[in-house]
Amino acid sequence: MLGTKTRFAAVLAASLGLTGIAAPAYAAPATLVSVGPGTLVADGAAVDVPVTFVCDSDPTRIIAVPVVEVNQRVTEGRIANGFGNAQLSCTRQNQTVTIRVIPRVIAFDPGAAVVFVVLQTCSAEFQCAAVTASEVIQLTKPAQTPPVLPPE
């Protein structure tokens, strides 16, 4: 009987020790820092949306794939909708990428739009994690640059 208790205690101590060694390190998840505002391109034929994010702290996550969907109510209650995406290397620092979103059928207008962002971070073996965000942003016309006058 004494031998069984001693062996049980030894197995328990060993398993507790191994649990401490085998526990995975905590990795902070990826974070979407900011989205927008959007800038109209070619009178609404596209919109450029800046997305700022930080990849998660897991060193095996080397690829970031932000996907942006823009939805906007335009004339006569119709909805302009489009998608865009990018693929970047993770730096573990703030990264900003401008994603061009092309509408499917109807052009975007200046004004409010709903943006849905999915940020995937993936390993080389395509083991991925994702975070999402949805918010209202403003779509604006690009800033006008003054014309360049020829020298007199």
Side-chain angles (χ1 to χ4, degrees), residues 128-152:
C128 300
V131 293
T132 62
S134 180
E135 60 186 81
V136 176
I137 66 168
Q138 289 297 311
L139 305 183
T140 60
K141 291 183 178 182
Q144 296 293 328
T145 57
V148 178
L149 300 175
E152 291 182 18

Side-chain angles (χ1 to χ4, degrees), residues 33-122:
V33 177
S34 67
V35 179
T39 303
L40 294 171
V41 177
D43 290 328
V47 63
D48 287 342
V49 179
V51 176
T52 301
F53 63 92
V54 179
C55 285
D56 54 34
S57 61
D58 182 344
T60 65
R61 307 275 183 199
I62 59 171
I63 301 166
V65 182
V67 179
V68 175
E69 176 184 11
V70 176
N71 293 288
Q72 183 187 43
R73 184 172 189 258
V74 292
T75 60
E76 299 175 9
R78 298 183 303 172
I79 302 293
N81 166 270
F83 291 89
N85 68 315
Q87 180 175 325
L88 302 102
S89 295
C90 286
T91 65
R92 314 276 181 270
Q93 305 293 321
N94 272 6
Q95 293 176 256
T96 301
V97 60
T98 299
I99 298 178
R100 180 152 291 172
V101 176
I102 309 295
R104 293 181 183 185
V105 177
I106 303 167
F108 294 111
D109 288 335
V114 175
V115 177
F116 181 70
V117 180
V118 177
L119 174 62
Q120 290 187 64
T121 53
C122 302

